[in-house]
Amino acid sequence: MKETSTSYPKALLRSAALTLLFFGLFLLTNWQLPVRELILSSPYFLVIFFLLFTVGKPNVVAHWKESLQGNPEKAVIFPLILIGVLYTYLMVHGHTPFKGSAGLFIFYLLFPTLGFLAFPKTALPVTWSDIVFVLLIVIPATSMSFGVGTSLPFNGSGFSNAMRLVIMISTVYSFNYIRNLPDVGFYPSFRWQYLFTALWVWLAFVGLVALLGYFGNFLNLKGHNILSTEFAYEWVKDFVRIFVGTALFEELFLRGLLQNILSKKITQSGKWPVYWKWGFAIFIGLSFITGYFVQLKMAWFPVLITVLVFIPAYFVEKQQTGIQGSFTALAITSIFFGLVHFHSGSLLFVGLASIAGWAYGYTYMKTNSVFYAALVHALVNSSEFLFHI
């Protein structure tokens, strides 16, 4: 208990320091905004990012869960606070959060917490309802809107999206604190080993795509002076925007939750070959359907990528002497991640997204950290200037 009591304030101080670092980047990339907008947005930035960097930390989770024991009704206070933060952010900018279907957002944000309170569970075993909960959170999140942008800062170029940040914080809270899923991995930490893992995975992916790009004629080495100060400034802005606004969100749901839960489900069943066969069959069919409707002449390409992802997963699983199922879950979520990019209209992009999904999922497996998976994700997305696909 003494160790927890001393580590808790240290965890808060580290979160505060990281928040101030990001606040500096926030000011650096939005210095051109009117002072009024910076004054309005800065308090919200500090509160939201402090919670983002804090809510998933194991020491903080342990400390906060103690106050919830025996008082389950107190569990709804935190999501209500998040709703208040987001709603006041909209209102101080002259917009109502209660217009149209957006008025249901309060029920949406309370849903996972109330659902897990109604059906309390221990960490294990995981069930199919856990995956259903993930999908019921993430699917509406991708289409929900208040009718106006909720970028942070509101009238700036956008450091991130306040609504998505609130959804992430609420989701981590509901799964970590109420569902009792202990290893989502949504908290910043620094380890050289994890950093090296993320960097070599990124370099391996870029090397593979560069090789494919050279032979496929989509490698783009012109038009960018990567040694210029202007390029470095724009790249940093782009990287931070992608990391916070896209990568963390997608990696939380796809890797920290979906892959994590699916891996546990397959492992506890003791029947990974059954999941592998069904996953392979289903995604072969979905890959062909995606190819048929997006670009008929290239319908074979996503099918080929599915084969190239699932077959190695099978042989790796067979060689595992301990826990089996993690690579099957990795293959399933990788292809799923690729196929949801069908909206790009490019099967090449769908295939590369599937391979990238493997890279992100592998990083998550090795680090058990959403933040390192998001780091690879942001590095990959901000390297797109090398390719024109």
Side-chain angles (χ1 to χ4, degrees):
M1 183 64 67
K2 184 177 180 181
E3 181 182 354
T4 302
S5 63
T6 57
S7 58
Y8 174 67
K10 287 182 180 179
L12 297 183
L13 286 173
R14 288 170 182 164
S15 295
L18 190 56
T19 301
L20 291 176
L21 174 62
F22 268 70
F23 185 59
L25 289 172
F26 168 80
L27 295 177
L28 178 65
T29 56
N30 290 279
W31 59 269
Q32 76 284 359
L33 286 180
V35 174
R36 179 180 180 277
E37 178 58 42
L38 289 176
I39 292 174
L40 283 175
S41 295
S42 292
Y44 290 96
F45 180 97
L46 292 169
V47 169
I48 290 174
F49 273 84
F50 177 74
L51 291 175
L52 186 79
F53 296 141
T54 303
V55 69
K57 289 188 171 183
N59 294 330
V60 175
V61 174
H63 186 89
W64 288 7
K65 283 181 73 173
E66 286 183 10
S67 65
L68 295 177
Q69 289 180 356
N71 298 285
E73 65 278 0
K74 292 173 63 177
V76 300
I77 295 176
F78 186 71
L80 287 174
I81 290 173
L82 293 175
I83 291 167
V85 170
L86 180 61
Y87 280 20
T88 57
Y89 182 65
L90 285 165
M91 289 188 288
V92 298
H93 285 89
H95 300 282
T96 174
F98 306 104
K99 188 176 180 179
S101 60
L104 299 174
F105 183 82
I106 187 171
F107 301 102
Y108 161 78
L109 208 66
L110 283 170
F111 155 72
T113 296
L114 293 175
F116 287 138
L117 283 174
F119 303 99
K121 298 178 181 179
T122 54
L124 292 175
V126 297
T127 63
W128 288 115
S129 64
D130 292 316
I131 294 178
V132 171
F133 264 76
V134 174
L135 297 177
L136 288 177
I137 299 170
V138 70
I139 292 174
T142 58
S143 58
M144 192 173 295
S145 170
F146 283 95
V148 293
T150 56
S151 61
L152 188 66
F154 199 91
N155 294 320
S157 58
F159 189 91
S160 187
N161 184 298
M163 185 181 76
R164 279 196 165 195
L165 293 170
V166 165
I167 290 172
M168 283 192 284
I169 296 168
S170 172
T171 300
V172 173
Y173 171 78
S174 62
F175 274 92
N176 261 6
Y177 294 73
I178 316 303
R179 171 57 187 86
N180 295 308
L181 197 66
D183 56 353
V184 175
F186 192 84
Y187 61 95
S189 62
F190 181 78
R191 292 188 183 181
W192 283 109
Q193 180 183 353
Y194 291 174
L195 179 61
F196 289 145
T197 297
L199 290 177
W200 83 252
V201 169
W202 166 60
L203 290 173
F205 175 81
V206 171
L208 173 62
V209 177
L211 183 64
L212 295 174
Y214 177 79
F215 291 104
N217 198 31
F218 60 85
L219 190 62
N220 182 25
L221 298 178
K222 298 179 180 179
H224 299 281
N225 182 8
I226 62 175
L227 298 179
S228 67
T229 304
E230 181 182 357
F231 177 85
Y233 176 73
E234 292 299 325
W235 186 89
V236 169
K237 282 180 58 177
D238 200 41
F239 173 82
V240 174
R241 176 186 59 80
I242 293 170
F243 179 80
V244 178
T246 301
L248 273 179
F249 184 86
E250 294 185 2
E251 295 312 305
L252 168 62
F253 285 101
L254 268 296
R255 257 58 68 170
L257 293 176
L258 189 60
Q259 180 180 316
N260 184 6
I261 294 171
L262 186 58
S263 179
K264 286 181 169 62
K265 180 67 178 174
I266 297 172
T267 297
Q268 72 189 25
S269 73
K271 299 176 180 179
W272 72 265
V274 175
Y275 285 87
W276 184 92
K277 291 174 185 176
W278 276 103
F280 187 46
I282 290 171
F283 280 101
I284 281 288
L286 290 176
S287 296
F288 178 77
I289 292 171
T290 301
Y292 180 86
F293 284 104
V294 174
Q295 194 177 353
L296 182 57
K297 291 182 179 180
M298 288 281 291
W300 57 270
F301 184 69
V303 175
L304 175 63
I305 295 297
T306 301
V307 171
L308 293 177
V309 167
F310 268 86
I311 295 301
Y314 178 83
F315 287 106
V316 172
E317 292 283 27
K318 289 201 70 173
Q319 292 177 356
Q320 298 278 78
T321 56
I323 296 175
Q324 294 175 302
S326 56
F327 279 89
T328 301
L330 173 59
I332 291 172
T333 52
S334 298
I335 299 301
F336 175 76
F337 178 75
L339 293 182
V340 296
H341 285 80
F342 73 92
H343 57 80
S344 67
S346 167
L347 290 183
L348 179 60
F349 192 85
V350 168
L352 292 179
S354 297
I355 299 172
W358 178 281
Y360 310 151
Y362 179 81
T363 303
Y364 177 77
M365 282 174 53
K366 292 300 181 181
T367 64
N368 197 32
S369 171
V370 170
F371 274 73
Y372 283 96
L375 173 61
V376 180
H377 193 147
L379 286 170
V380 167
N381 281 24
S382 57
S383 302
E384 285 185 356
F385 66 89
L386 291 172
F387 316 107
H388 49 90
I389 55 176

